[in-house]
């Protein structure tokens, strides 16, 4: 889909603040956007959730954003480019980064509450979706880096990431940084959004699935 914002219709001031809430991301979870939006400025701090969703619907109708499912949770993808708006929307000073970070931290427990906490079919389905995303990212990186995909090596990486995360998050990042650097951003994003227990279960399910169909 082409980027919007280069024609006559331009985002309003409040819509620009929603775009600012994306920070450096192109896609973000709705709850994270809302909590960041509240921190953008004092003028936005009293906007209710219903009002915010109304703003999102108007922006969607204007073609500035599009709804998506991000890691199994409702989110939005930004379709308008900063250069086309002629407005500064990316963080420019440390204070901007701090406001976004505070919003992200406030959103995290609220996002967690919306997810299943017991191991049931819903949780397993979500873990399988996330695990598959990691597998796809890993295979795409292998294709770019090596020119081919080895299912045996995919299984080996999945198994090793499970073992590393079982020890600590630091061990996981060390392994990914050294062995599969092309997926470090995706792994970090999933870990930030879902936590280590969820990621570990996702990796184990995917490792088992890859092993079943690779050997």
């Amino acid at each position: 889909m082409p980027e919007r914002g280069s024609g006559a219709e331009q985002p309003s001031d409040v819509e620009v603040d929603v775009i600012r809430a994306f920070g450096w991301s192109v896609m973000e979870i709705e709850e994270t956007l809302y909590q960041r939006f509240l921190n953008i400025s004092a003028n936005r701090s009293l906007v209710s959730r219903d009002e915010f969703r109304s703003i999102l619907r108007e922006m969607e109708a204007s073609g500035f954003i599009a709804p998506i499912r991000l890691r199994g949770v409702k989110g939005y993808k930004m379709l308008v480019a900063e250069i086309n708006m002629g407005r500064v929307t990316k963080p420019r000073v440390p204070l901007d980064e701090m406001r976004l970070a505070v919003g992200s931290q406030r959103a995290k427990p609220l996002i967690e509450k919306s997810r299943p906490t017991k191991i049931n079919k819903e949780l397993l389905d979500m873990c399988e979706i996330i695990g598959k995303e990691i597998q796809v990212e890993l295979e795409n990186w292998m294709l770019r880096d090596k020119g081919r995909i080895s299912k045996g090596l995919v299984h080996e990486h999945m198994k090793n990431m499970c073992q590393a995360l079982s020890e600590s998050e630091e061990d996981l990042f060390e392994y990914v940084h050294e062995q599969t650097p092309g997926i470090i951003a995706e792994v970090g994003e999933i870990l930030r959004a879902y936590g280590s227990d969820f990621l570990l279960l996702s990796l184990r399910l995917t490792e088992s699935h890859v092993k079943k169909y690779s050997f």
Side-chain angles (χ1 to χ4, degrees), residues 115-130 194 197-198 201-202 205:
R115 296 188 174 117
T117 56
K118 295 181 180 180
I119 297 180
N120 53 26
K121 186 178 185 302
E122 182 181 1
L123 177 61
L124 291 175
D125 287 346
M126 288 177 63
C127 286
E128 287 181 353
I129 291 172
I130 298 303
Y194 287 86
D197 290 341
F198 184 96
L201 181 56
S202 298
L205 288 173

Side-chain angles (χ1 to χ4, degrees), residues 56-97:
L56 292 176
R57 287 194 295 270
E58 291 177 3
M59 293 180 70
E60 183 183 342
S62 297
F64 297 133
I65 59 175
I68 58 171
R69 298 296 294 181
L70 186 61
R71 314 301 184 198
V73 180
K74 184 178 181 181
Y76 286 89
K77 178 179 181 180
M78 183 167 56
L79 302 178
V80 61
E82 181 180 78
I83 190 172
N84 291 334
M85 290 187 294
R87 306 277 291 272
V88 174
T89 60
K90 301 301 182 187
R92 288 294 188 268
V93 295
L95 182 58
D96 291 338
E97 299 278 8

Side-chain angles (χ1 to χ4, degrees), residues 22-38:
F22 278 89
W24 296 105
S25 302
V26 176
M27 298 177 288
E28 194 52 82
I29 293 171
E30 181 184 298
E31 184 63 44
T32 301
L33 286 176
Y34 178 58
Q35 295 299 328
R36 286 179 173 181
F37 177 82
L38 296 179

Side-chain angles (χ1 to χ4, degrees), residues 145-191:
D145 188 59
K146 305 295 184 182
R148 60 185 294 269
I149 297 172
S150 166
K151 289 296 184 181
L153 191 54
V154 170
H155 172 261
E156 187 72 16
H157 283 314
M158 288 292 181
K159 182 180 70 174
N160 291 342
M161 284 191 288
C162 284
Q163 293 175 346
L165 184 54
S166 295
E167 295 296 327
S168 69
E169 293 180 9
E170 289 75 16
D171 284 355
L172 172 64
F173 277 112
E174 182 178 353
Y175 178 85
V176 174
H177 177 72
E178 293 179 355
Q179 301 297 327
T180 59
I183 66 169
I184 195 167
E186 288 75 14
V187 170
E189 181 182 346
I190 293 169
L191 189 60

